[in-house]
């Protein structure tokens, strides 16, 4: 059974840090692009950070560049999002996503989301 389970969200003061984790099971994690998305109330879901299966050429939304870092540990089937210098605008539900297109077949898995609230 495919599962993506996020953890590490919570309430943090502006300027603080959090590390989100997403542990996967039920599919070949190391062959998937791993992404972090977020969705704030009343807004569309947006891509925050992406890391290919090779671990190279990471991609970030302009709003988080220099503050967020995505990483993965294929031995642990886990992807991380280190968030620092957090701002109230970072408040959102953060989702882990696994994506792959192989021989024309698309696989797209989502976690249940974890809430991050940045507030004094």
């Amino acid at each position: 059974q495919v599962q993506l389970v996020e953890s590490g969200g919570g309430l943090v003061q502006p300027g603080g840090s959090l590390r989100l984790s997403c542990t996967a099971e039920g599919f070949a994690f190391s062959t998937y692009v791993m992404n972090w998305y977020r969705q704030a109330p009343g807004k569309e879901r947006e891509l925050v950070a992406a890391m290919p299966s090779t671990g190279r050429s990471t991609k970030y939304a302009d709003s988080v560049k220099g503050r967020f870092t995505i990483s993965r540990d294929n031995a642990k089937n886990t992807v991380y999002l280190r968030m620092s210098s957090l701002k109230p605008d970072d408040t959102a539900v953060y989702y882990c996503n696994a994506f792959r297109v192989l021989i024309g077949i698309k696989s797209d898995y989502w976690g249940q989301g974890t809430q991050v609230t940045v507030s004094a």
Side-chain angles (χ1 to χ4, degrees):
Q1 181 180 355
V2 171
Q3 269 195 312
L4 290 171
V5 179
E6 299 104 333
S7 61
L11 174 64
V12 63
Q13 292 187 342
S17 298
L18 281 175
R19 188 181 79 159
L20 306 183
S21 300
C22 171
T23 300
E25 62 181 60
F27 62 96
F29 176 85
S30 65
T31 67
Y32 280 68
V33 175
M34 295 304 299
N35 305 305
W36 285 98
Y37 285 79
R38 69 185 180 186
Q39 188 166 21
K43 295 186 177 180
E44 293 188 356
R45 190 172 295 190
E46 65 168 341
L47 179 65
V48 174
M51 175 168 270
S53 57
T54 60
R56 302 172 187 164
S57 302
T58 53
K59 176 181 176 180
Y60 296 94
D62 288 343
S63 58
V64 307
K65 280 180 183 176
R67 301 187 299 120
F68 289 14
T69 303
I70 187 171
S71 60
R72 66 190 295 165
D73 185 338
N74 286 342
K76 295 182 178 180
N77 285 2
T78 301
V79 62
Y80 305 96
L81 185 68
R82 175 69 177 174
M83 307 183 294
S84 59
S85 302
L86 283 161
K87 306 174 182 179
D89 283 350
D90 296 318
T91 296
V93 177
Y94 285 71
Y95 297 91
C96 175
N97 167 253
F99 182 84
R100 185 183 76 175
V101 178
L102 183 64
I103 316 175
I105 299 172
K106 185 177 79 171
S107 300
D108 192 11
Y109 306 127
W110 292 86
Q112 81 288 351
T114 186
Q115 176 71 47
V116 171
T117 302
V118 184
S119 174

